Amino acid sequence: MSSTTSNPTLANARIAVLGYGSQGRAHALNLRDSGLDVVVGLRKGGPSWERASAEGFTVAEPGEAVRGADLVAVLTPDMVQPALYKESIEPNIKAGAALLFAHGFNVHFKQIAPREDIDVILVAPKGPGALVRREYEIGRGVPSIWAIHQDVTGQAEAKAKAYADGIGGGRALLIKTDFKEETETDLFGEQAVLCGGASSLVQAGFETLVEAGYQPEIAYYEVLHELKLIVDLFYEGGIARMLEFVSETAQYGDYVSGPRVIDAGTKARMKDVLTDIQDGTFARNWIAEYQAGLPNYKRFKQADLEHPIEQVGAKLRARMSWLQAGAAKAAGEPLKKVG
C-alpha cells in the first residue's frame, strides 16, 4: 500500500538506510511507500543485499550509499556502528546532511563523535520492525520517540519529524526525548524488567517449583507459558486490565505476595543497575566484552540455553501446533529492535 507523506521536509531528499534487518527493512519500505527516495547501504554479497535488491531497492556499499545522501539512517547493531561510522560515514557524509540513529548508545557514550557540520537526530519506533511495517501497511503507525543531538542547519527537528512521518510514527504519536534519556531508559528497561528481570524471575519460579517436587512440565506452564496471557493484558490496558481479567483469587495473591517477591531490596538493586547505566559502567563493560570476543557473553548465553526450563519447554512447545504455525509465519522477521 503506497501513501505519500504530507510532510515536505524530505520530499526531495535522498535517504540512505544502512542495514536491512528487522528495523532497517521496515523503515526502508515505509519510507519508499511514503514517496521518499531510498537507497540501502549493505556489505556486498550477503543475504540482506539479495533481499533488498529483490524487493526493488537500489543497494550499494555503505560508503557509496552515504555519499550524496541528505539523511543517513544507521540501523545496524550497536557494536558495529563505531567502525561503520569511521570507515563509511564520516569520510562520505556531506556537510549539512542528517545522521539518524534509532538508539542513542554510541553517541551518548561517546563511541561515535559525529562531525560538527552535520545534524544528528534520533527516531525510534516503540515496536519491532515487523509491527512497524504491518501497522503502516494498514494505514496506521507505531508511536515513535525523537531527539536532537546536533542541529547545524536549523532543520534537525523538521527532519526528525519528517522521517518519523515517513515510517508511520506521525500517524500514531511522536514523543520528544533526548539521547541521554532514550539510551538510559532503554537499557534499564531491557536489563531490569523486559529481558534480564523477566527471564531471571521465570527461571527462579521454575526452580522453586521443581525443587519442591512438582513436575517440570507443570512448572513450565505455570511460570513461563502463561506469562504471555498476562503480558498481553498489560499491553492492551495496563495493570488495571490484567486485574480485570484474572480471578479474585489471583488478584488477592497479586496484592499480598507480589510485594514479598519484588520488594524494597529489589528496587534498591534496580537503582544499582540504573546507576551502572548512568555512570557508564555498563557501557564500558559491554564494549570491553565485545572487543575481547564475547567470552562471558557466550558463557552466559550457553548457561541459559542449558537451563532445564529450556529442555522441558522445547518438548512441550513441539506439541503445541499453534506455536509451530506462528513460528513459521514469523520466520525471517525476528522481533528485535536496533539497540
Side-chain angles (χ1 to χ4, degrees):
M1 176 185 292
S2 289
S3 175
T4 302
T5 180
S6 59
N7 192 321
T9 304
L10 298 175
N12 299 312
R14 164 154 283 213
I15 300 173
V17 173
L18 305 186
Y20 204 70
S22 174
Q23 288 287 347
R25 178 175 181 270
H27 287 218
L29 290 168
N30 290 5
L31 291 166
R32 184 177 67 183
D33 287 352
S34 290
L36 301 176
D37 180 17
V38 179
V39 58
V40 176
L42 299 167
R43 301 294 183 192
K44 194 163 190 176
S48 293
W49 180 292
E50 297 302 324
R51 186 176 193 186
S53 296
E55 292 182 329
F57 285 103
T58 298
V59 187
E61 290 279 352
E64 183 182 345
V66 169
R67 201 172 300 120
D70 300 287
L71 186 149
V72 177
V74 184
L75 300 174
T76 58
D78 289 333
M79 290 297 104
V80 306
Q81 289 180 12
L84 178 66
Y85 177 76
K86 277 291 182 187
E87 296 167 8
S88 301
I89 300 173
E90 188 175 44
N92 294 300
I93 190 168
K94 66 183 182 181
L99 181 61
L100 180 144
F101 295 89
H103 181 41
F105 184 96
N106 283 301
V107 172
H108 178 58
F109 291 117
K110 297 180 170 39
Q111 299 307 296
I112 293 176
R115 271 183 15 207
E116 295 181 357
D117 60 349
I118 59 174
D119 294 334
V120 182
I121 58 181
L122 178 147
V123 174
K126 302 312 292 178
L131 181 66
V132 172
R133 180 58 180 162
R134 186 165 65 248
E135 287 295 290
Y136 181 94
E137 288 183 300
I138 60 177
R140 301 187 306 209
V142 172
S144 300
I145 60 178
W146 65 275
I148 299 169
H149 176 73
Q150 197 165 276
D151 182 4
V152 300
T153 66
Q155 292 293 307
E157 178 175 338
K159 292 174 184 178
K161 289 181 175 178
Y163 186 95
D165 285 344
I167 62 172
R171 299 171 176 175
L173 175 67
L174 300 182
I175 303 174
K176 184 177 182 180
T177 184
D178 56 46
F179 275 60
K180 178 180 187 295
E181 182 177 61
E182 185 279 330
T183 301
E184 293 177 356
T185 57
D186 186 82
L187 292 174
F188 176 80
E190 291 170 350
Q191 294 173 32
V193 180
L194 305 177
C195 302
S199 60
S200 292
L201 184 66
V202 165
Q203 287 176 339
F206 178 86
E207 291 166 4
T208 300
L209 287 176
V210 172
E211 289 165 8
Y214 300 104
Q215 295 179 67
E217 294 81 4
I218 301 296
Y220 175 88
Y221 277 116
E222 293 301 334
V223 305
L224 188 152
H225 180 81
E226 293 189 17
L227 185 61
K228 181 186 186 306
L229 307 177
I230 302 302
V231 171
D232 283 350
L233 292 170
F234 281 159
Y235 184 77
E236 293 167 6
I239 294 173
R241 184 168 176 81
M242 182 274 289
L243 293 172
E244 179 185 354
F245 279 85
V246 300
S247 69
E248 291 178 337
T249 303
Q251 289 180 42
Y252 182 69
D254 174 303
Y255 302 143
V256 301
S257 297
R260 296 175 64 191
V261 177
I262 308 299
D263 59 10
T266 307
K267 188 173 178 180
R269 290 186 292 276
M270 283 184 168
K271 289 182 177 180
D272 290 340
V273 169
L274 182 57
T275 297
D276 282 352
I277 292 168
Q278 292 171 326
D279 67 17
T281 299
F282 170 77
R284 288 191 295 273
N285 290 345
W286 171 223
I287 292 164
E289 174 72 16
Y290 187 84
Q291 292 174 343
L294 302 172
N296 294 305
Y297 171 95
K298 292 174 182 176
R299 178 168 53 84
F300 296 147
K301 186 170 186 176
Q302 190 60 35
D304 269 357
L305 294 175
E306 293 174 356
H307 191 281
I309 200 170
E310 289 303 309
Q311 318 309 315
V312 173
K315 295 177 182 177
L316 293 176
R317 289 190 296 273
R319 306 298 295 272
M320 292 183 259
S321 58
W322 65 93
L323 291 182
Q324 308 312 311
K329 184 177 179 182
E333 289 291 346
L335 298 183
K336 184 178 179 181
K337 66 176 181 176
V338 175

